[in-house]
Amino acid sequence: MRLPEARIIAVILTLTTAAICSMPTAAETQEKAATTSRPADGGDRPYRIGADGKVDWAVFNGFRRYNSICNTCHGPDGAGSSFAPALVDSLKRLSYDQFLEIVVNGKEEVNTAAEKKMPMFGTNPNVMCYIDDIYAYLKARSDGALGRGRPPKHEDKPAEAAEAEKSCMGG
Ligand code: HEC
């Protein structure tokens, strides 16, 4: 667990150097993010889906988290809406690090017609404690490995996931 944590901290530090100086919550952000585990292979296939459609815990949890928080703007199943882009397409282009940076710091595109804003979730444990699961789910959708809707079968929650969740959520 030590190495991936160090990498996450490095990423967040690099990407939020300016913010860290002025925001007391930035330390908290790093702490939350640091307790999640980064996809081991750098994010290429951070999911497991069996021939029978059974998904690993990360994908299932990511499905639940995505569809309770991100879907309000990005549409169900990552499919996009008139307000926010289809993350199923975005992840064909964005790296894990770019994805993480946008979720932590937010993103704002100001044009003459509308102001569309991606909120910053860096201090929100309900997002940051599960960000790798959300990524795993969206990546599986983006790769075409997983269809729309609730995955029909999923693996049980592993003990490590329960422990990581507990320490990340501060309990
Ligand atoms: C309040 C609405 C809202 C919510 C909730 C929201 N987003 Fe966004 N998001 C946006 C908007 C709008 C954009 C486009 C911003 C831009 O392009 O400047 C965006 C952009 C993004 C991008 C960049 C997409 C690209 O193609 O560049 C990512 C990644 C992203 N959001 C992930 C998430 C995740 C993960 C969640 C849930 C944890 C989430 N968003 C929740 C509104 C939202």
Side-chain angles (χ1 to χ4, degrees):
M1 291 301 277
R2 287 295 137 196
L3 260 183
E5 286 176 16
R7 287 198 67 176
I8 288 242
I9 292 173
V11 168
I12 305 244
L13 278 177
T14 316
L15 300 167
T16 61
T17 313
I20 280 169
C21 302
S22 54
M23 281 175 51
T25 49
E28 195 186 79
T29 305
Q30 287 171 48
E31 204 185 311
K32 295 292 181 202
T35 48
T36 64
S37 60
R38 191 181 195 285
D41 61 355
D44 277 337
R45 287 193 66 192
Y47 53 84
R48 260 193 330 273
I49 301 177
D52 59 354
K54 188 178 200 174
V55 302
D56 64 10
W57 175 258
V59 169
F60 181 65
N61 191 41
F63 159 78
R64 294 194 307 177
R65 305 288 164 184
Y66 174 87
N67 284 297
S68 70
I69 301 171
C70 319
N71 63 334
T72 53
C73 295
H74 289 281
D77 309 316
S81 76
S82 56
F83 184 73
L87 296 182
V88 164
D89 295 333
S90 299
L91 286 203
K92 292 183 166 55
R93 173 171 52 80
L94 297 176
S95 68
Y96 171 84
D97 289 350
Q98 290 169 322
F99 169 82
L100 185 62
E101 193 274 336
I102 292 167
V103 176
V104 167
N105 296 314
K107 188 176 175 221
E108 190 166 7
E109 183 182 278
V110 182
N111 61 41
T112 46
E115 192 180 314
K116 295 188 174 180
K117 197 173 172 194
M118 164 66 189
M120 55 164 78
F121 287 105
T123 56
N124 183 336
N126 290 314
V127 173
M128 295 317 297
C129 290
Y130 308 111
I131 195 61
D132 284 350
D133 292 353
I134 294 172
Y135 179 77
Y137 163 69
L138 286 172
K139 192 68 181 162
R141 289 275 303 119
S142 179
D143 288 356
L146 182 68
R148 295 192 64 153
R150 183 186 177 91
K153 290 184 235 172
H154 63 86
E155 291 173 9
D156 292 339
K157 185 175 188 169
E160 309 89 75
E163 270 164 39
E165 177 175 27
K166 204 174 153 205
S167 75
C168 187
M169 295 298 283

